[in-house]
C-alpha cells in the first residue's frame, strides 16, 4: 500500500553534515506520523526522531536525547517527503538509517507499519 524510499546517505567527516530524504508513495493516510530509526552493526534498531504528519502540521516532533541539538526533522506534506538534517555528526552516528510510517507518534519499532530499505551513513573520525 505504501512504499518508502530513503536517500542522501554517504561518508562524511566528524563534525560534518548530511541531509537524508524519505519519499513516500502509494495510499498514505491523511493523519499519521513518520519517523527515522538507525541500526549499527551488532546493535538494536533505535529510535532517532519522529514528526506528526498532517496537512495542518504545526511542528510537533519527538527527538531522541542522543540527537537533540544536532538533528532536525522537517517535511513537505504535499509531496509526502520527510527530511532529516544531520549536523555535527559523530562517529557513533554511523548506522543504516531507516524511514518508517505509523498511525501515531511513537518510539516503538513494532508500531510502525511501513519501512524503507535504509541508507548508509558513515562518519569518520
Amino acid at each position: 500500500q505504501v512504499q518508502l524510499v530513503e536517500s542522501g546517505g554517504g561518508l562524511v567527516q566528524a563534525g560534518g553534515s548530511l541531509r537524508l530524504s524519505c519519499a513516500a508513495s502509494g495510499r498514505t493516510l491523511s493523519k499519521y506520523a513518520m519517523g527515522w530509526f538507525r541500526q549499527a552493526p551488532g546493535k538494536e534498531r533505535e529510535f532517532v526522531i519522529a514528526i506528526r504528519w498532517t496537512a495542518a502540521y504545526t511542528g510537533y516532533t519527538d527527538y531522541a536525547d542522543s540527537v537533540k541539538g544536532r538533528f532536525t526533522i522537517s517535511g513537505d506534506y504535499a509531496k509526502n517527503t520527510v527530511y532529516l538534517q544531520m549536523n555535527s555528526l559523530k562517529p557513533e552516528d554511523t548506522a543504516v538509517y531507516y524511514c518508517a510510517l505509523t498511525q501515531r507518534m511513537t518510539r516503538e519499532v513494532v508500531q510502525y507499519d511501513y519501512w524503507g530499505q535504509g541508507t548508509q551513513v558513515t562518519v569518520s573520525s
Side-chain angles (χ1 to χ4, degrees), residues 93-110:
D93 295 318
T94 296
V96 177
Y97 283 71
Y98 298 91
C99 179
L101 184 151
T102 185
Q103 283 286 112
R104 58 193 177 275
M105 290 285 285
T106 178
R107 296 188 175 196
E108 300 297 326
V109 170
V110 297

Side-chain angles (χ1 to χ4, degrees), residues 38-46 92-96 98 120:
R38 65 187 182 185
Q39 187 167 22
K43 299 188 68 176
E44 298 178 349
R45 188 167 298 188
E46 66 173 337
E92 50 263 45
D93 295 318
T94 296
V96 177
Y98 298 91
Q120 177 71 46

